[in-house]
Amino acid sequence: MPATAQANQAGFRRVLGLGSLLAVAIGLVVSQGVMVMMLQGVGAAGLGFIVPLGLAYLLALSYACSFSELALLIPRAGSLSSYTEVALGHFPAILATFSGYVVVAMFALSAELLLLDLIVAKVYPGAFPQFSVAFAVLGLFTVLNLMGIDIFAKLQNAMAVVMVIVLLILGIAAIREGHDAGATHALLQGDWNPMGAGVLALTAMAVWGFVGAEFVCSLVEETRKPERNIPRSMMIGLTVIFATIALYGLGALFLVPRQALSTDALPHYLFATTVFGKTGEVFLVIAAVTATCSTLNTSLAAIPRMLYGMACSGQAFPQFKRLSPRANTPWVAVLFVAAITGLPILVMGQNAAAINLLLLSAALAWLLAYIIVHLDVIALRRRYPHLARPFRTPFYPLPQVFGIGGMLYAIWYASPSPEMTGRIFGVAGVVLAVVSLIAVVWIKGVMKKPLFKPEAM
């Protein structure tokens, strides 16, 4: 069925252009967590971090190709679940979407909000009660997303632009100041890659700087000219992210000692105050607010639409199909995502170590979702070789093979330290086991369908 016809049936309106989708791709990816992890990677590898960063960028382009091909072949809001149910069956579809998006977002958004709370408390000590900033931001963007996709798009465009500009100003200002102080000569004369071949192990860390651009695919039913704008938004967005992270990390190397970057709990705070002094705190608050709000805004728009698509296919509670009469937003799904985002904050408080452990563990499932999307492309190419595809992956199947191998490598080296490996894989195993159990019960007990039998196109 053509994308336009499906959009009319769903009640969605096509209001998102290339600019809005670019803001989604960039705004979801560039979070405070990414700002911290990229500086830690630069601190560990110096200029050599460009090697894993470049490999991660190529891996991201591979998943962008697979998602683009699938999103335009099956243009439905369910995104990954819609593709996988016709490629591999309902069980992989539910497993990939819930473990790779709903569960990951639950902890990722909670960590982002807590990090924002910590930064504001550090810059303005005692000004706000504990968690008040986190819950105020969560409540505000929940209401705004309930009001409609038009408001979401306008906010996302503004926040993404401000965030990228602030990070670029920070990086360029640091490079200029460091160059004037003679840091350029020191960097070029020193060991550019102190880790040697071991720098490749940081590819896993660098990958986190590029995950999430595919969230534009869940907005396909609300996109103008999706056959053009969906692929372009991901490709251009990932390229902008690569350039921004590279300048941001290079600037940090010009002014901040590598050891400080790799060991400081808030290296982006250290970087901003080193460049601009007390004024740097204002820069950091702007970057932190826009990064967290942009990530939250995108997630509250995209994930509910994934749940809406799953509910339309019978893979989730039918209540998720409900659209508000005025704004045409999946309001039950939006409230559900907001609730699961706020829950970890209430349960764990500011136990950052526990949240980071759960975040890293659940993030393994995100990489599993990327592997599944590559397998979807391969399966559908074999089953429907002559089907018209508005976007075809260049040099198929090389990007898919490269993506699967790279994501498996990233999963294997996902742990930041050997002592955490067992704990991370243990928690990830529990998450996947719980989701798998729920999926089996739902498919066999409610849907009354086979686990691995693909649906017809």
Side-chain angles (χ1 to χ4, degrees), residues 37 49 62 117 134 149 161 164 220 233 255 273 277 399 402 436 441 444 450:
M37 293 186 74
F49 190 64
S62 76
D117 219 84
I149 198 72
V161 169
V164 170
V220 65
S233 63
L255 289 183
T273 52
F402 172 69
S436 298
V441 172
K444 302 301 289 186

Side-chain angles (χ1 to χ4, degrees), residues 10 12 77 221 304-312 320-321 323 330 333:
F12 289 133
E221 294 184 37
R305 283 158 178 80
M306 293 182 188
L307 294 173
Y308 167 87
M310 295 181 72
C312 290
F320 290 146
K321 290 191 293 184
L323 298 177

Side-chain angles (χ1 to χ4, degrees), residues 57 60-61 63-64 210 213 233-243:
Y57 171 61
L61 290 180
Y63 84 64
F210 297 93
S233 63
M234 283 192 280
M235 304 295 181
I236 297 173
L238 290 169
T239 303
V240 170
I241 291 166
F242 174 77

Side-chain angles (χ1 to χ4, degrees), residues 98 307-308 310-322 332-333 336 438 442 446:
F98 266 90
L307 294 173
Y308 167 87
M310 295 181 72
C312 290
S313 299
Q315 296 171 346
F317 293 116
Q319 287 79 7
F320 290 146
K321 290 191 293 184
R322 293 182 180 175
V332 175
F336 172 76
I438 294 173
W442 184 268
V446 178

